[in-house]
Structure formats: C-alpha cells, structure tokens
Amino acid sequence: MTLPVAAGPIGIFDSGYGGLTILHGIRQMLPEYDYLYLGDNARAPYGPRSFDVVYEFTRQAVLKLFEMGCHLVILGCNTASAKALRSIQQHDLPEWDARRRVLGIIRPTAEVIGSLTQSRHVGVLATEGTIKSQSYDLEIRKLHPDIQVSGVACPFWVPLVEYHEADGPGADYFVKKRIDEIMRKDPEIDALVLGCTHYPLLMPKIVKYLPSGVRIIPQGEYVADSLRQYLERHPEIDARCSHGGTARYLTTENPATFKEQAQIFLHEDINVEHVELE
C-alpha cells in the first residue's frame, strides 16, 4: 500500500459531529497546524453498534485520512477510541505504515484524572457503547488503581444536542435523570467525566443538576494538552504535520446538513466536502 509521504494535516475522526468539540479544543491550543476533520455522519451513531462494526468503520476512516495525507490521526470519538483504537494500533498500522500514528481520547483523560479527584471516586457519563466497553474503567484503574470508577449510559443526550434541544426544557428531565442515577450509584463521586464529545453542549443543564463540589471534566482541553506534549516528545511526528493554520471538513453525509449542524459546535461558517468510505 502506497501512502503520501509529504507533510500533511492532523486528522480528526468522529462518527458524527461531537468530535468537533475535540477539534475546537485542539485548535485553541495548537492553531498553527493544519487539520482535516472527517465525520462518518451517514453511519452515525456508533454507540449502539458492535465492536466489529465500529472497528471496521473506524478502520476505513483512518485509512481514508492516511490516503489524504495525514500522518497522525486522532479518534475524536469515545466509542471509536473504546472499540477500535487498540486493534488499529496493533494490527493495521504495522501493515499500512508503522511510522504513522493513531491516538484516542480516553487515555488523556485517564492520565489527568488522578489530580482532579480527592475522594478517589470518579463518575463517567457516556454512550452505551463506551460504558459497555469499560474502557474508562480499565484505563483509569491501570494508571490509578486506587480510584473507584462508576459509569452510566446516557442514550438520549446526543439526540438532544443534534436536534437543537440542549437548551430546551425537555433536556432537563433526561439530564437530571442520569445525574441522579450516577450519584445514587456512588454518592462519593467528586469528579465527573463527560465521556462523549457531545456532552459539553449540555453543560448548563449538567451544572444545574450536579451536586455542588463535583468537578466536571470535559475532554477537549485535556486531549489538546496531551497532543501538545505528544508532539513535543515525538519531533519526528511533528515534522510530518503541516503548519498552515487551516482546517478542512469532510462528511459521508450531506455537506449542507453537516455545515448547518457544525455551527452548534464551532459557531463559525465552514466549507464541507462529501467523501465516501469503503
């Protein structure tokens, strides 16, 4: 397999729109790089899909980004990070090009969580697929064996965001229900990980119903800082990332629809291109 060798953009992949919050956080911290965002909106959501299907879809997306010049791809999707990252790193990269890299967004959060909790009780709110994978539990306990992790799936939170209901009164019921559930599960939780990239857009409701003293941990800033440190540690990867300060957006769905929805996450006007995955 022949892949481009010239410096290229940093790829950001998500099953849909939520990864735009990751891209936004990264661009805030590292604006000098070029970025290529790919949303597999035609096949979203990934959360309820099996491990095998998520792996295959994610594999196709990563390969497409490599073919378009990326040497480094961030899986800006918790479900893809949970269900596909390790297989791609271990089985696909050696076959495609061992010099390229694919990183996820779960480990950066797990790395910093030890400094963000005093009670050593942490909650995770995420999609059904991410919770069932227990990826946060495994990563956090691997790095911080003393931390107790409790997770709750929030199946209606993503539609609330994508159907522009995040600020509406209907969101209160679903947000309160899941927060009450996780606090009943472990009342000692003092740090709550938002393990889905859509969830920061529900922040006003989450703050409204979360007990005082519980710290909310969105992923964007931690993923961005982890990427910054990664590029500093790996100058050979940094040298393969182009520095033009640009961002391109690709979707497997209708570009006009993506452009409209993206404004919820980015608050800016963007150009969007259609792409096929296979």
Side-chain angles (χ1 to χ4, degrees):
M1 180 179 299
T2 303
L3 294 170
V5 293
I10 296 173
I12 310 287
F13 169 67
D14 185 30
S15 59
Y17 304 103
L20 293 169
T21 62
I22 298 297
L23 174 60
H24 177 73
I26 291 174
R27 290 190 74 195
Q28 290 288 107
M29 183 170 292
L30 302 167
E32 66 272 23
Y33 292 88
D34 293 313
Y35 298 94
L36 182 58
Y37 183 92
L38 171 56
D40 189 12
N41 305 83
R43 301 187 295 195
Y46 279 16
R49 294 187 183 273
S50 70
F51 273 75
D52 289 343
V53 170
V54 171
Y55 164 60
E56 182 56 32
F57 286 179
T58 306
R59 184 180 180 276
Q60 293 169 7
V62 170
L63 185 55
K64 174 64 71 173
L65 288 167
F66 282 170
E67 290 172 349
M68 297 184 74
C70 300
H71 294 265
L72 170 63
V73 172
I74 311 297
L75 301 185
C77 171
N78 283 276
T79 303
S81 295
K83 295 184 176 183
L85 176 62
R86 184 161 299 181
S87 294
I88 289 173
Q89 289 175 331
Q90 294 178 350
H91 302 300
D92 294 308
L93 282 181
E95 177 184 336
W96 291 340
D97 185 343
R99 297 168 299 174
R100 297 185 189 241
R101 296 290 183 268
V102 180
L103 306 176
I105 59 174
I106 292 175
R107 187 173 179 87
T109 308
E111 288 175 342
V112 301
I113 198 70
S115 64
L116 303 176
T117 172
Q118 294 184 344
S119 70
R120 317 309 281 175
H121 289 252
V122 171
V124 178
L125 298 177
T127 64
E128 181 181 4
T130 299
I131 294 299
K132 283 186 175 180
S133 75
Q134 295 190 316
S135 294
Y136 274 99
D137 307 53
L138 295 172
E139 286 293 336
I140 291 173
R141 287 171 182 161
K142 187 188 306 179
L143 298 169
H144 312 284
D146 62 317
I147 292 181
Q148 176 69 40
V149 182
S150 300
V152 166
C154 306
F156 294 103
W157 285 23
V158 169
L160 284 171
V161 172
E162 295 195 350
Y163 286 97
H164 303 264
E165 293 295 334
D167 297 325
D172 288 76
Y173 170 80
F174 294 104
V175 172
K176 184 177 186 301
K177 180 177 182 179
R178 299 308 176 188
I179 288 177
D180 288 350
E181 181 179 349
I182 199 164
M183 295 310 299
R184 283 197 305 269
K185 199 168 186 179
D186 184 356
E188 294 186 58
I189 287 171
D190 72 345
L192 184 66
V193 176
L194 302 186
C196 173
T197 50
H198 281 68
Y199 295 178
L201 278 79
L202 288 162
M203 190 69 77
K205 303 290 188 185
I206 295 170
V207 170
K208 180 178 178 180
Y209 294 109
L210 196 64
S212 61
V214 179
R215 183 169 189 165
I216 303 171
I217 305 171
Q219 295 173 292
E221 63 185 276
Y222 301 110
V223 171
D225 190 57
S226 178
L227 176 59
R228 178 188 60 78
Q229 294 180 50
Y230 180 86
L231 292 171
E232 289 176 353
R233 293 196 308 270
H234 298 277
E236 75 284 2
I237 302 295
D238 183 74
R240 298 187 200 120
C241 298
S242 53
H243 294 62
T246 67
R248 288 176 62 197
Y249 300 88
L250 309 173
T251 178
T252 57
E253 189 48 280
N254 185 303
T257 301
F258 184 97
K259 181 175 181 177
E260 179 182 352
Q261 288 290 101
Q263 292 180 354
I264 305 173
F265 299 85
L266 297 177
H267 306 291
E268 64 178 292
D269 191 34
I270 61 172
N271 293 317
V272 185
E273 306 162 51
H274 180 264
V275 67
E276 296 285 346
L277 297 180
E278 56 183 26

